[in-house]
Amino acid sequence: MRSRTEVALAGLIVLTLTGGCADPATQRVSLMNDPSAPPSSSLAPAMPPVATDAPAAGPTPVPARPSPSATGPVTPTGVPVASLAEPMATGAPLKATGPPRFFVTVGAAGGSSGPSPSGEPAQVPPVVNDAATGAFVAAVPRPKAGPSGWELVAAAPDNRTFALAGGTVGKPFRFFLIRLDEDGRPGEPRLVPEVEPELDRVVALALSHDGTRLAYACDLAGGGTKVAVLDVATGRRHEWTTYGKLVGLAWAPDGRHVATAGLGWGIGLLDLAAGGSDLRKASRLLRSSMEVPLPQSIAFTPDGGALLYTAGYNVDRLSLDGGEPRLAARLTVPQGAPPRLRLSIDGSGRHLIYTHDWRAYRVALADGSASSMPIDTGSTQPREGRSAVAAW
């Protein structure tokens, strides 16, 4: 039986999906940079070395977790992993050197075009695309012991360093780093070691600005959610858990905080120096789930002073100093597009990209000009059951 929390969240999603959509013919966004605008009404350094002598470990037994209760939200139980003593990422940032030239695309399960003839999602390898045209640049080489399906991608500010995550049914999630050369050609994916294998489903991924840490969020099998910070060199990690469902993460430029967005949670700011394992105790809640009921994606501005997050078809800007959020951009999407847009902000903070139905939508945040382009995967391989997720 579903919990009251699950039923309430499902109701909110249904109500949102029944709303109107913007005109697909106009590839423009409305931009609200004027401070007097009304509050939103919408709900190239080298890659860090990867250690090869990380302690070996077999699969970690999954601790028993409670079943969802009809009396209220579930508080996750078990012992969160805490092998990483310093989760902060305070190295020199991988800085942007200009507008983005490339984006990396993965085909995540859950596409709008229906299942493949076999009933399973088609396997779409990650590819590098031209940021201006969407043209195919190169395929990411398939690593040894790679996952059967790639689900997530995240980028460092330099537009050359990327993280990929994927899974195989019955096996732990795996994380890889890739580095692009100046022509956009990727090197061999480098496996991120894991002292404790990740057995939960990863639903959000973020790469720190210095490239030394991954932050990711998982749905827990018995209910609730967790955030983990993983050291890409040692494979050690630190976890925080709570109830709700997180769907978006973003690293602060200083590497000391991670922004969180989720259903039944809202918008929060995790202090990585706080320690402990209770996400609520270690976080400052900036907007409640009542104020932002359906967030999907989140990013920091380059100066770290504000957050940009998607709420339906809007991108709202929220200052960390307080105050009400203001509309930063209103996205134009095709007829029928669900309000589940994952945005990626480039390292300069001037450009935004999101995807729908294997098209990429590029927005210049300075003036709201927008363009869309087909995402060329370099092959005629079927993509049924997969949807594009891109990052730059």
Side-chain angles (χ1 to χ4, degrees):
M1 178 180 296
R2 293 187 173 183
S3 69
R4 291 176 179 173
T5 303
E6 289 173 315
V7 172
L9 291 173
L12 282 172
I13 293 172
V14 169
L15 287 174
T16 303
L17 290 177
T18 58
C21 296
D23 182 0
T26 59
Q27 294 179 358
R28 301 283 297 179
V29 297
S30 298
L31 212 61
M32 303 293 290
N33 291 326
D34 185 356
S36 64
S40 168
S41 60
S42 71
L43 294 174
M47 180 182 295
V50 177
T52 58
D53 57 350
T60 302
V62 179
R65 298 187 176 105
S67 299
S69 167
T71 61
V74 172
T75 300
T77 61
V79 181
V81 174
S83 60
L84 179 61
E86 296 290 338
M88 290 77 72
T90 56
L94 305 176
K95 294 183 178 180
T97 56
R101 293 179 56 201
F102 312 104
F103 62 87
V104 173
T105 307
V106 301
S112 59
S113 56
S116 65
S118 67
E120 295 294 330
Q123 301 306 314
V124 181
V127 297
V128 181
N129 296 97
D130 184 279
T133 66
F136 173 81
V137 175
V140 175
R142 181 173 176 81
K144 295 180 179 179
S148 62
W150 298 97
E151 300 291 335
L152 298 165
V153 59
D158 63 350
N159 193 232
R160 300 294 186 275
T161 308
F162 295 81
L164 299 168
T168 301
V169 175
K171 296 182 179 181
F173 250 75
R174 310 303 296 271
F175 303 94
F176 293 83
L177 298 177
I178 60 169
R179 174 84 182 168
L180 309 185
D181 65 17
E182 288 306 302
D183 295 322
R185 304 286 175 178
E188 289 290 328
R190 302 174 65 181
L191 177 66
V192 175
E194 294 176 81
V195 173
E196 303 91 355
E198 183 51 74
L199 302 178
D200 291 305
R201 180 172 179 266
V202 179
V203 297
L205 180 69
L207 179 61
S208 65
H209 287 223
D210 65 359
T212 67
R213 302 285 192 273
L214 285 174
Y216 62 88
C218 293
D219 291 338
L220 299 181
T225 191
K226 79 176 178 185
V227 173
V229 170
L230 176 67
D231 185 321
V232 303
T234 67
R236 301 188 182 279
R237 71 175 186 260
H238 191 106
E239 296 179 350
W240 298 261
T241 61
T242 189
Y243 53 83
K245 176 182 173 62
L246 294 182
V247 293
L249 299 173
W251 279 90
D254 66 5
R256 298 180 181 275
H257 297 86
V258 171
T260 55
L263 311 177
W265 172 257
I267 304 295
L269 193 63
L270 169 61
D271 181 357
L272 298 178
S277 61
D278 187 321
L279 185 63
R280 286 192 173 269
K281 290 182 179 179
S283 299
R284 176 162 63 102
L285 195 62
L286 303 175
R287 304 292 289 176
S288 72
S289 59
M290 295 295 291
E291 295 168 307
V292 189
L294 291 171
Q296 285 295 324
S297 193
I298 194 164
F300 272 91
T301 55
D303 62 3
L307 293 169
L308 297 172
Y309 61 90
T310 53
Y313 301 111
N314 293 341
V315 178
D316 288 347
R317 178 187 176 99
L318 178 64
S319 172
L320 298 186
D321 292 333
E324 292 295 311
R326 295 191 177 276
L327 186 65
R330 182 174 289 114
L331 305 180
T332 298
V333 294
Q335 186 74 23
R340 297 193 302 270
L341 302 177
R342 288 181 177 269
L343 61 84
S344 178
I345 306 292
D346 80 308
S348 71
R350 298 187 179 96
H351 306 90
L352 174 155
I353 192 171
Y354 62 98
T355 60
H356 171 71
D357 200 21
W358 293 94
R359 290 190 71 86
Y361 295 79
R362 174 176 175 145
V363 180
L365 291 174
D367 60 8
S369 60
S371 61
S372 73
M373 64 201 87
I375 298 173
D376 184 357
T377 61
S379 79
T380 58
Q381 182 175 343
R383 298 180 295 198
E384 288 85 353
R386 295 275 169 183
S387 59
V389 176
W392 63 15

